Each structure stands twice: as structure tokens, then as C-alpha cells.
Amino acid sequence: DIERAKLVVLAGSNAAWCHPVLYQRLVQARQDHPELRVVLIDPRRTASADLADLHLAIAPGTDAVLFNGLLVYLAEHDETHPLFVNGHTEGLDAALAAARASSPDVAGVAAQCGLGVPQVTQFFELFARTERVVTLFSQGVNQSSSGTDKVNSIIKCHLLTGRLGRPGMGPF
């Protein structure tokens, strides 16, 4: 899927050091497909940032805030896949209400994450306008005390847009 994606989001992962085989695949995919965009979401500037078009150095622990904000943004900008949502998910209204409670708008997300509004907007627009998105997450996300919430927030963005189960897209 990495080689077929148009956007790869690395969340909480310094793949360059911790997942070198995966990172080399991403480097090669970027060389083979210069249009591929990479976003790194990590409080630290690591070696993986060298490959990123956008590095979101979020405040530690705010991954779910960022992805809940993305979910709200996608819904409010009609960047959804209604057929997929209706046929394969349930609880959309509750998920959106919970996301809005923590992340009601871009400015609120930016403030909580310690980012600028332009950075958050750029990420949200890039995700919204790119069909083939792969989100790769690792220990920085899933091994935190709120790892389940963080992973769920990522998965919900892919479910809302129907971006999984097809080549070049999905949360991993």
C-alpha cells in the first residue's frame, strides 16, 4: 500500500530508526513517485522529518486531539464516503459528537496541539483532498496511556472517508 499511496502520514513513529525496512520502502516510493507526500506527526524532530513535506511537532499526548479535529473537519467539509459509512460503520453521530467535544475547530486543535492554524489547515486539507492515504502509526501512538483513543481517532478518519480496504489506503 505504501507504494500506491499519494499521502503517507507517519504518526508517532521515527521510522528511519525504528522501522528501517519500512522507511527504506517509503524512501524508494518517494523516488519512484515524486508526487507522494509525507506528513510526520511527532513532537520530536527525528531523522524521519527529513523525508516529510510537513512535520507537525504536536504537543506530547495530543494525537487524538489532532485526529478528532480532522474527523470534524472532514465531516464539516463533506469529505466523507456516505456509501461506505452507511454500509460498514455504525455510531457516526456519537463519534462526531465526541470528536467535537475535544476538537471543535481548527483553531482549537492548533492551540491544544501547540501548532499554528496554517499547519493544521494544511494537514487537514491535504488529507481531505487525497484519496489514497496510508496512516502508519507506531509505539509513539499505541503504547501511550491513551493509545486506544489515539488509534481509534486515526481509524475513524479512514472509516469516514472510506479510505481502507483498497490499494494505497488504510490505517496501519
Side-chain angles (χ1 to χ4, degrees), residues 105-130:
D105 55 36
V106 173
V109 170
Q112 290 181 74
C113 292
L115 300 170
V117 169
Q119 286 179 295
V120 174
T121 301
Q122 182 182 3
F123 171 56
F124 287 3
E125 288 177 353
L126 187 58
F127 192 103
R129 296 190 177 131
T130 308

Side-chain angles (χ1 to χ4, degrees), residues 145-159:
S145 61
S146 60
T148 301
D149 294 333
K150 293 175 181 183
V151 171
N152 280 338
S153 67
I154 293 168
I155 291 170
K156 287 175 185 173
C157 292
H158 282 269
L159 288 170

Side-chain angles (χ1 to χ4, degrees), residues 74-75 78-89 92 131 157-164 166 169:
L74 294 167
D78 201 29
E79 296 289 346
T80 65
H81 193 301
L83 289 174
F84 184 88
V85 170
N86 291 334
H88 301 286
T89 70
L92 174 61
E131 182 179 15
C157 292
H158 282 269
L159 288 170
L160 183 65
T161 56
R163 294 179 182 154
L164 70 162
R166 294 183 283 152
M169 56 186 77

